Amino acid sequence: MNIHEYQAKQIFAKYGVPTPRGIIANTPSQAMTNAQELGGDVWVVKAQIHAGGRGLGGGVKLARSITEVKELASEILGMTLVTHQTGPEGKLVQKVYIEEGADIVDELYLGIVLDRAKEMPVIMASTEGGMDIETVAHNTPEKIIKIAVDPFIGFQGFHGRELVFGLGITDPKEQSKLIKLAKALYTLYMENDAEMIEINPLIKTGAGDFLALDGKMGFDDSALGRHPEVEDMRDISEEDADEREASQYGLSYIALDGEIGCMVNGAGLAMGTMDTINYMGGTPANFLDVGGSANAQTVAKGFEIILKNPNVKAIFVNIFGGIVRCDRIANGILEATKLVDVHVPVIVRLDGTNAIEAAEILKNANIPNVIAATDLGDGAAKAVRAAKGE
Amino acid sequence: MSILVNKDTKVIVQGFTGKEGSFHAEQCMAYGTKIVGGVTPNKGGQEHLGQPVFNTVKEAVVGTGATVSMIFVPPAFVADAVMEAAAAGITLAVVITEGAPVRDMQAAKAFATKHGMMTIGPNCPGIITAEECKIGIMPGAIFKKGNVGLISKSGTLTYEGANQVCREGFGISTAVGIGGDPIIGLSYKQLLKMFQEDDDTHAIVMIGEIGGDLEIQAAAYIKENITKPVVAFIAGQTAPAGKRMGHAGAIISGSAGTAKEKMDALKAAGVTVVVSPAEIGKAVKAVLNK
C-alpha cells in the first residue's frame, strides 16, 4: 500500500525526520487559508497523487503571494496529472499540499528499500538529488551509495560514517544532523513495516539543516494488520474501482487492453496464460487470479467484472486444480451463466483435482456458449480463434 | 534418489490440528508421507490423525525423530514457527502459509541460516518427491516418478509443468515450489546444485516470474556449474509495466526484472527457454531425446 507525500511527512515528523511545514487542502480557499497560517512569502503548491514525476507534469508550483497560492491550487485541483509513473491515463488530483518555501543550497537523494539478494534493508544515498534517480543509476551508478543494515544489529555508527563520507559531507555539525536523520528514517522503516521510503530531494538549507522536501512511502501489505494507523491512510480513490471490487471477492484483477478475458487460478499460471494467448496471436483483456477458494459466487463475479470490459470477445477459463476443485469451478460456470449474461464464447480448460467430474458437469449442462479444451495450448488456440469470430 | 526428501523422511506438522493443517496432513499421509506427529500448543498429549500431538517442536523432535517440519500456522505466527523449528534442530522447514510479513521472514530466515536449517517458501505449494513423499498442498496424483527435477516460483505452474512432463511419458524426481515472496528460503541456485548432484535427475525444469533477479543469478550459476539440460519458462512477458511510486526496487538489483531480461540471460547460459508454458513438456522431450 502506498501513501501520499503529506502522509509520509506526518510519519517523518513523528520520528524526528525534519520536513518543511505544510498543511493539506481540498479546495483553493482552504489552500489560501493554509498559506496564511504558514506565513512567509513563498509557498509551494503540490499535487497529492500516488506517483512520482509530479513536478515535470505540472503538479508542483511555486507561489509568491497568497492570491497566487489560490490561483495555482484551483489550477492543480481537479487536473488529471500525467507523469512517467501514472500511465497515459494520468491521475485526478483531489488534494494539494501547501508548504512553506525552503532555502535550498544542495539537493541529495536518500531512500531505504529491501535488498532481496542480501535479505536486509539497504540505505541508498546520492549527491544527485532532485534528478530522476533511475537515470542516475543507469548513467553514473558510482554516484549511488548503498549501505546494507543488518536488522540484528540495527543502524550503527559506522553506517552513518559510511553515509556522510560517501556523500562528501565534511562539516561535523552537518554530519551529525544527517546521521541522526538517516537513523530515524531506518527506525521508521522497520517499525512501520515499510517496503520502500524515498526522499528526493533531501535538501540542505543555507543554515546547514537537512529537510525532506519530498516523501514517498510504500508498505508491506501483509503487515498492515498490525499498523491500523497506516491502514487509515489508505486513499481508495487512488485505486482502480474494478480491481478493488474484485479484491472484495478474493479475486485479483488487472485490466489490460486486449480482447480475450482470462480467468485463471494462481498468479503464475494467470501470467503464463496471458503469455500463451499472446504467443498464439491473440491479446489478453485482463489478468484475473481467482485464488485458492474459488466457488460459484466468485466465478460469477469474475465473469461480471471481465464482461464489463466492452472489448472482450471471448473468455478463457484456465484452471489447474490443486486446492481449487475443478467440479466447483464447473458449477460456478453454470451458476454464472444464470446470473450474468455471458454473450461471448467461453473456452474452458479444467485440469487437476476432480477434473473428470467437472468435465461431466459441463457436458451434461450443454451450454451453447461453452467450449471445452483439453489443455493450455488447445484452450488458448480456441480462445484466439473465437475472439477472431472463427 | 531424489533431493531433500524421500520415503524415509520423518515429518511433523506445525499447526497440525488447524483446519488447513489437518486437511493437508491427511492428504500427505494418503500420498505416503511419513507424518510422525504434529505441534499445537496446549494440545500436547492428544492424538490427531492417529499421530501424537506435542506442545513444542523440541518435544516433537525428541519424541519422533522428525527432521522436517511442514508449517501451516497463520501468517502472523510464521516467523515464530520457523525460528522454533530451527532452534529445535529441524533441518528443513516447508512453509506453506501465505501472507507472512516480510520483516518477520527476514529475521526468521537469518536465524534459520544461523542454525543450519533450510527453509522452503513461505507462500508456496511445498516439495514433492514423486511417489514417495509429498510435503505441501499440490495434487499428488499428477506427479509420476521419473528423472526430471522441477523448480518453480508459482504453484499452479508447478502443476502445469509437472503434468506436461508426465504426459510426454517422462516423470518427476523431485519438484520444489520455492514461492515468490521477497524473502524466500531455498532458491534456484541451491536447488540447481542439488539436482546437478542427484544421479536420478537427468533434466531440470525451471519456472520463473517477472520481478527480482533470482533467475538472472540462476542463469549465471547454470552457465558455470550445470551440465544437465535445463528448460525454462518465465511468466509475465505480457504483464504491463506496473504503475510504480518509487524507483528504489529496480535500482538495488541493477535489473528491471523483466521477462525478456531473464529469458535472454537464461538463453545465453545455454538453457532451452520456451515462450509459453504450453511448450514445457515438448521442450523436455526434445532435450531428453537428444
Side-chain angles (χ1 to χ4, degrees):
Chain A
M1 188 191 101
N2 295 329
I3 59 173
H4 289 295
E5 171 199 1
Y6 80 95
Q7 296 166 321
K9 286 180 173 173
Q10 286 168 4
I11 299 178
F12 289 0
K14 215 166 82 184
Y15 284 83
V17 173
T19 65
R21 292 182 307 130
I23 310 171
I24 193 72
N26 298 308
T27 63
S29 61
Q30 213 180 343
M32 201 172 73
T33 318
N34 292 353
Q36 276 162 340
E37 201 181 320
L38 290 168
D41 49 15
V42 181
W43 300 268
V44 192
V45 182
K46 307 171 94 174
Q48 299 294 294
I49 57 166
H50 286 182
R54 291 170 301 164
L56 288 172
V60 178
K61 296 214 161 130
L62 202 68
R64 300 196 175 275
S65 70
I66 298 282
T67 15
E68 208 183 346
V69 168
K70 192 175 181 183
E71 283 165 16
L72 291 172
S74 49
E75 191 183 300
I76 294 172
L77 279 165
M79 80 185 279
T80 300
L81 193 54
V82 180
T83 82
H84 65 290
Q85 289 190 359
T86 58
E89 70 280 10
K91 283 195 169 201
L92 179 69
V93 182
Q94 291 170 308
K95 285 191 178 87
V96 286
Y97 192 49
I98 312 301
E99 201 169 63
E100 62 182 357
D103 164 29
I104 305 174
V105 296
D106 205 359
E107 293 185 292
L108 306 172
Y109 171 95
L110 187 64
I112 305 182
V113 69
L114 175 74
D115 184 330
R116 290 183 175 208
K118 289 200 173 75
E119 300 180 336
M120 52 183 82
V122 57
I123 297 174
M124 291 196 299
S126 174
T127 51
E128 309 300 293
M131 314 219 333
D132 179 16
I133 200 68
E134 250 172 312
T135 313
V136 178
H138 186 263
N139 298 338
T140 48
E142 72 282 1
K143 288 190 173 164
I144 296 182
I145 312 161
K146 298 175 188 173
I147 306 163
V149 181
D150 186 336
F152 273 11
I153 61 166
F155 188 99
Q156 297 291 327
F158 76 92
H159 295 124
R161 292 192 292 278
E162 232 177 279
L163 176 71
V164 293
F165 291 119
L167 291 172
I169 291 166
T170 49
D171 179 86
K173 273 189 196 146
E174 290 179 11
Q175 288 177 343
S176 69
K177 280 177 190 167
L178 188 60
I179 290 172
K180 197 172 155 231
L181 187 153
K183 188 171 181 175
L185 203 66
Y186 172 79
T187 305
L188 81 88
Y189 176 90
M190 293 305 290
E191 285 186 4
N192 291 281
D193 282 289
E195 193 174 68
M196 177 275 301
I197 304 182
E198 194 171 71
I199 303 175
N200 191 20
L202 175 76
I203 59 155
K204 193 171 93 181
T205 66
D209 288 319
F210 294 95
L211 285 182
L213 208 59
D214 190 16
K216 290 190 181 64
M217 275 189 89
F219 298 86
D220 176 5
D221 288 330
S222 297
L224 285 175
R226 57 192 181 202
H227 302 291
E229 71 297 343
V230 172
E231 178 73 57
D232 283 346
M233 291 183 170
R234 184 184 288 273
D235 180 354
I236 55 167
S237 69
E238 285 282 334
E239 295 166 17
D240 182 277
D242 289 334
E243 289 172 24
R244 205 176 155 70
E245 189 192 346
S247 75
Q248 282 161 1
Y249 290 85
L251 306 170
S252 168
Y253 173 86
I254 297 168
L256 302 170
D257 50 13
E259 295 181 338
I260 300 173
C262 303
M263 191 185 306
V264 189
N265 66 325
L269 187 59
M271 286 194 285
T273 303
M274 287 156 49
D275 293 341
T276 306
I277 287 170
N278 185 56
Y279 171 61
M280 303 238 171
T283 52
N286 65 274
F287 165 95
L288 176 61
D289 173 9
V290 295
S293 57
N295 55 37
Q297 197 204 8
T298 54
V299 171
K301 199 73 209 172
F303 275 117
E304 198 185 307
I305 294 168
I306 289 173
L307 287 165
K308 266 193 200 166
N309 177 351
N311 298 330
V312 170
K313 296 205 171 68
I315 296 175
F316 180 20
V317 179
N318 182 25
I319 303 290
F320 205 115
I323 323 176
V324 172
R325 284 167 36 196
C326 293
D327 54 329
R328 270 206 216 164
I329 299 286
N331 281 321
I333 294 168
L334 298 191
E335 202 61 33
T337 52
K338 287 175 207 154
L339 296 171
V340 188
D341 171 30
V342 184
H343 54 269
V344 298
V346 179
I347 291 78
V348 182
R349 180 266 179 140
L350 299 171
D351 213 331
T353 310
N354 295 1
I356 296 164
E357 292 88 334
E360 201 63 23
I361 291 168
L362 287 178
K363 201 176 142 210
N364 292 340
N366 197 20
I367 315 165
N369 258 348
V370 175
I371 303 161
T374 53
D375 60 29
L376 170 57
D378 180 49
K382 282 176 174 159
V384 170
R385 281 202 299 275
K388 285 179 179 156
E390 289 165 19
Chain B
M1 280 280 286
S2 54
I3 68 165
L4 292 164
V5 298
N6 59 39
K7 61 182 182 354
D8 301 319
T9 305
K10 286 183 181 170
V11 183
I12 54 161
V13 183
Q14 285 174 264
F16 191 33
T17 57
K19 191 176 155 231
E20 296 283 313
S22 289
F23 176 77
H24 290 291
E26 202 168 4
Q27 301 281 318
C28 291
M29 288 161 99
Y31 192 79
T33 309
K34 274 200 178 135
I35 304 266
V36 293
V39 178
T40 301
N42 291 319
K43 292 198 176 172
Q46 297 181 11
E47 202 172 86
H48 185 63
L49 306 177
Q51 300 298 327
V53 182
F54 299 89
N55 283 322
T56 67
V57 178
K58 203 171 263 173
E59 285 168 17
V61 168
V62 171
T64 64
T67 55
V68 175
S69 177
M70 173 161 76
I71 299 179
F72 273 103
V73 302
F77 308 110
V78 164
D80 186 15
V82 169
M83 292 188 278
E84 184 184 359
I90 289 288
T91 58
L92 173 67
V94 182
V95 189
I96 309 300
T97 310
E98 177 180 354
V102 174
R103 188 183 65 183
D104 295 8
M105 279 317 297
Q106 216 172 303
K109 169 90 186 282
F111 185 79
T113 307
K114 196 175 153 191
H115 283 260
M117 184 181 81
M118 295 180 284
T119 50
I120 293 175
N123 188 12
C124 76
I127 176 170
I128 183 166
T129 288
E131 296 170 21
E132 290 193 31
C133 178
K134 162 180 136 156
I135 304 173
I137 58 173
M138 58 287 268
I142 57 172
F143 295 83
K144 308 278 182 250
K145 202 171 190 57
N147 303 111
V148 179
L150 193 150
I151 314 166
S152 171
K153 268 188 186 173
S154 147
T156 37
L157 281 176
T158 306
Y159 317 157
E160 182 69 50
N163 194 47
Q164 286 183 29
V165 167
C166 297
R167 278 190 189 165
E168 291 291 341
F170 300 94
I172 299 295
S173 53
T174 301
V176 188
I178 60 174
D181 277 11
I183 302 273
I184 59 169
L186 292 175
S187 177
Y188 296 112
K189 246 161 78 173
Q190 296 102 311
L191 292 163
L192 283 163
K193 181 172 190 285
M194 293 179 204
F195 279 131
Q196 174 70 26
E197 289 162 3
D198 174 35
D199 291 342
D200 282 344
T201 297
H202 301 162
I204 304 161
V205 173
M206 176 184 149
I207 300 171
E209 280 176 12
I210 46 169
D213 72 339
L214 290 178
E215 294 86 347
I216 305 269
Q217 293 176 35
Y221 185 80
I222 290 169
K223 200 170 185 176
E224 296 299 320
N225 303 287
I226 304 295
T227 55
K228 293 179 182 177
V230 181
V231 170
F233 170 69
I234 305 294
Q237 299 154 61
T238 47
K243 295 170 198 162
R244 298 165 305 144
M245 238 180 108
H247 310 258
I251 294 168
I252 202 68
S253 65
S255 101
T258 61
K260 185 175 184 303
E261 204 177 328
K262 294 180 178 188
M263 290 163 78
D264 289 347
L266 288 163
K267 270 183 217 160
V271 171
T272 304
V273 180
V274 295
V275 293
S276 157
E279 308 291 315
I280 293 172
K282 282 174 229 159
V284 166
K285 188 177 181 181
V287 298
L288 281 176
N289 286 348
K290 242 180 214 169

